[in-house]
Amino acid sequence: MLAGLGPASAQACEALRVVNGGVVAAVTDGDTVVLDSGLVVRLIGTQAPKLPLGREGFPTWPLAPDAKSALERLVLNQPVRLGYGGEEVDRYERALAHLFVHDVAEEPVWAQLHMVRTGLARVYSFPDNRQCLDQLFAGEAQARAERLGIWADPYYSVRTADRPAELAKLAGNYELVEGRVLLADRSGSRVYLNIGRIWKEDFTIVIEAPALRLFERDGLDPLSLDGALIRVRGWVDTRDGPRIEVTHPEQIEVLAR
């Protein structure tokens, strides 16, 4: 098991396949690095504020330069190890890995946890990469409670589900939304978690069949969320009102029942 020292480091989960990565030669942004071998590594499990990176018309998200600088200070020119816990390569041929700074004089430092603990990234998971998320969620919760980094900027505020008109304006954005489930209902192969009473206008969470299989595999029943206060994270769209599609259980946090 890898471990680290201090508040920006912690035990990593044991489920990772850990390999030597070489030395970090460049930092692209707050969640992407390039190794001396030329391998591009996407720091799986996190999303840092985004830079345009040559995309025309793409805005620089607040604190994106800060996130890049923080990751540079941590990993640039440092030997690292890569921890794989799911799908290992994405469609852009980037490695999808947890990154550990491996200074022989110190305990390894987990880069993802460092970034979320300092408020310069948030947890961003995938159905095919679900390892180590508990530690990252705990780090994010502490940073949010202390209003560190992005959590002091309204751009990244946790939204309230009872304002569907405001949520609709955020279509295309990755957001965290809190609300109480008024009705959890199955229709055919999908489950709807309705936060409001007017389902074509109010905020809704949709769970399609592939995601439901993951819930079932984990022994979870989304219908049991009826009446629960939850926080969901994901990309907002506006089909039948603002909504987020959940692809795996970790997108939903139960705050109270």
Side-chain angles (χ1 to χ4, degrees), residues 199-212:
W199 64 271
K200 278 189 172 290
E201 298 178 10
D202 290 323
F203 179 68
T204 305
I205 298 161
V206 183
I207 309 174
E208 300 280 0
L212 289 174

Side-chain angles (χ1 to χ4, degrees), residues 3-15:
L5 300 175
S9 307
Q11 286 189 331
C13 65
E14 296 180 325

Side-chain angles (χ1 to χ4, degrees), residues 159-169 178 201-203 242:
R159 316 298 176 181
T160 57
D162 59 358
R163 298 181 179 178
E166 295 301 314
L167 288 174
K169 296 176 184 177
E178 291 181 0
E201 298 178 10
D202 290 323
F203 179 68

Side-chain angles (χ1 to χ4, degrees), residues 116-216:
V116 288
R117 283 278 288 107
T118 53
L120 291 172
R122 54 188 171 182
V123 180
Y124 180 58
S125 55
F126 297 86
D128 55 7
N129 249 303
R130 301 169 59 201
Q131 299 294 343
C132 308
L133 294 176
D134 286 349
Q135 298 96 316
L136 295 177
F137 276 122
E140 181 192 275
Q142 184 173 344
R144 192 165 55 243
E146 297 175 5
R147 295 183 57 79
L148 299 179
I150 63 174
W151 305 113
D153 191 303
Y155 186 89
Y156 303 98
S157 293
V158 178
R159 316 298 176 181
T160 57
D162 59 358
R163 298 181 179 178
E166 295 301 314
L167 288 174
K169 296 176 184 177
L170 299 172
N173 288 7
Y174 188 84
E175 299 288 344
L176 277 64
V177 182
E178 291 181 0
R180 189 169 294 277
V181 179
L182 297 185
L183 176 65
D185 189 30
R186 181 185 289 269
S187 177
S189 63
R190 60 177 62 91
V191 164
Y192 295 95
L193 304 180
N194 295 293
I195 307 299
R197 300 188 183 282
I198 306 174
W199 64 271
K200 278 189 172 290
E201 298 178 10
D202 290 323
F203 179 68
T204 305
I205 298 161
V206 183
I207 309 174
E208 300 280 0
L212 289 174
R213 288 192 287 271
L214 294 180
F215 276 83
E216 183 177 2

